[in-house]
């Protein structure tokens, strides 16, 4: 099932880092049930045509980082229903006011990863250039004779060995940079929730990334995630605060 695959790759993404806050859910109507799944809080919300299961993607969220949830959706109707990420809302409640929390879409995450790869490529290029320059100077040396005479020399063999080692190291650095980028892209493709039409009885799920809630001076943060599936609206109340608080 896709939802299980999402759990398996969760640790590869930044949003799954462990340190900081934990979350809890509160059932807001009789059609919801707050429960525990494998030691983690979760909430099941059932509406006329759909069922939604939400739980945190990791046991703790990075402090002041993006909350990431695993969302599972089941089409209970006999007709196809649409899920659109653009229809998902997140609203923080603080000081008697409501504030929008941006939903970070798959496309946004891909662009961030592309930007990260460009920066990584530049750093790799700088490191490779420095490595090559150092190798180019490896064949040169100096000497001092017993009589005190000094001079310089050049060893083609030493230079060739150093340049060969530098080329191999540079190739390995570039390959590692490319491999890391491809791995991160594959993880995003496999794990992040996207627009989807659910056929009757079909399950679909993925990670939902949300912009960080505004810090409340270390106090608990309260927000609501609204997940629309077809004509159903699932209102998920979340409380987030420091672990152990």
């Amino acid at each position: 099932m896709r939802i299980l695959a999402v759990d398996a790759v969760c640790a590869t993404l930044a949003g799954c880092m462990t340190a900081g806050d934990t979350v809890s859910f509160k059932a807001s109507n009789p059609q919801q049930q707050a429960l525990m799944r494998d030691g983690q809080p979760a909430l099941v919300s059932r509406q006329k045509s759909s069922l939604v299961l939400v739980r945190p993607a990791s046991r703790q969220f990075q402090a002041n980082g993006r909350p990431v949830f695993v969302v599972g959706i089941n089409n209970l109707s006999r007709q196809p229903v649409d899920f659109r990420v653009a229809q998902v809302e997140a609203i923080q409640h603080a000081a008697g006011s409501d504030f929008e929390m941006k939903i970070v879409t798959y496309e946004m995450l891909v662009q961030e990863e592309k930007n990260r790869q460009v920066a990584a490529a530049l750093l790799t290029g700088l490191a490779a250039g420095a490595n090559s320059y150092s190798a180019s100077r490896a064949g040169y040396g100096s000497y001092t004779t017993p009589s005190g005479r000094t001079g310089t020399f050049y060893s083609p063999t030493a230079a060739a060995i150093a340049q060969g080692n530098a080329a191999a190291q540079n190739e390995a650095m570039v390959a590692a940079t490319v491999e890391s980028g491809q791995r991160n892209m594959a993880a995003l493709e496999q794990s992040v929730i996207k627009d989807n039409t659910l056929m009757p009885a079909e399950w679909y799920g993925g990670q939902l990334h949300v912009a960080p809630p505004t810090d409340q001076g270390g106090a608990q943060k309260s927000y609501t995630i609204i997940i629309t599936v077809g004509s159903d609206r699932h209102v998920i109340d979340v409380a987030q605060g420091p672990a152990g608080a």
Side-chain angles (χ1 to χ4, degrees):
M1 185 185 296
R2 177 187 165 88
I3 299 173
L4 296 179
V6 168
D7 292 343
V9 301
C10 180
T12 66
L13 298 178
C16 300
M17 296 174 65
T18 57
D21 291 352
T22 59
V23 302
S24 61
F25 300 98
K26 179 181 178 181
S28 60
N29 61 68
Q31 300 302 313
Q32 294 185 349
Q33 180 182 2
L35 44 89
M36 298 295 291
R37 299 293 293 175
D38 192 28
Q40 296 192 68
L43 186 134
V44 177
S45 176
R46 184 187 181 108
Q47 294 291 328
K48 180 180 179 180
S49 302
S50 60
L51 181 146
V52 167
L53 171 65
V54 180
R55 72 167 183 80
S58 59
R59 297 188 183 278
Q60 293 183 11
F61 291 153
Q62 184 180 10
N64 299 318
R66 290 174 180 164
V68 182
F69 298 90
V70 174
V71 177
I73 305 170
N74 184 213
N75 179 6
L76 302 176
S77 73
R78 297 183 180 181
Q79 303 293 329
V81 296
D82 289 337
F83 166 76
R84 297 286 181 264
V85 177
Q87 294 179 325
V88 178
E89 304 171 63
I91 303 167
Q92 183 177 3
H93 315 293
S97 300
D98 293 339
F99 305 91
E100 179 186 7
M101 297 168 62
K102 193 176 186 66
I103 302 300
V104 185
T105 65
Y106 168 74
E107 291 77 16
M108 294 175 184
L109 292 168
V110 166
Q111 186 58 55
E112 286 181 359
E113 174 58 25
K114 288 180 178 178
N115 294 342
R116 188 203 66 79
Q117 290 182 24
V118 169
L122 290 174
L123 291 175
T124 300
L126 290 174
N131 207 16
S132 296
Y133 176 77
S134 178
S136 72
R137 307 300 301 170
Y140 294 92
S142 61
Y143 65 87
T144 302
T145 68
S147 62
R149 187 164 60 91
T150 61
T152 61
F153 67 88
Y154 176 73
S155 171
T157 301
I161 293 173
Q163 290 169 7
N165 289 339
Q169 292 169 2
N170 290 346
E171 184 178 348
M173 282 195 299
V174 171
T177 300
V178 172
E179 181 182 356
S180 174
Q182 291 175 340
R183 185 169 57 248
N184 290 345
M185 283 294 193
L188 290 174
E189 174 63 36
Q190 185 176 2
S191 64
V192 179
I193 201 164
K194 310 172 189 68
D195 294 351
N196 196 73
T197 297
L198 285 80
M199 303 308 290
E202 182 182 6
W203 275 94
Y204 173 70
Q207 289 183 357
L208 179 69
H209 293 240
V210 184
T214 302
D215 183 64
Q216 299 301 303
Q220 189 177 72
K221 298 175 278 284
S222 175
Y223 52 94
T224 298
I225 300 173
I226 302 171
I227 300 173
T228 300
V229 183
S231 60
D232 293 344
R233 281 170 57 87
H234 299 266
V235 180
I236 315 296
D237 289 333
V238 184
Q240 177 180 333

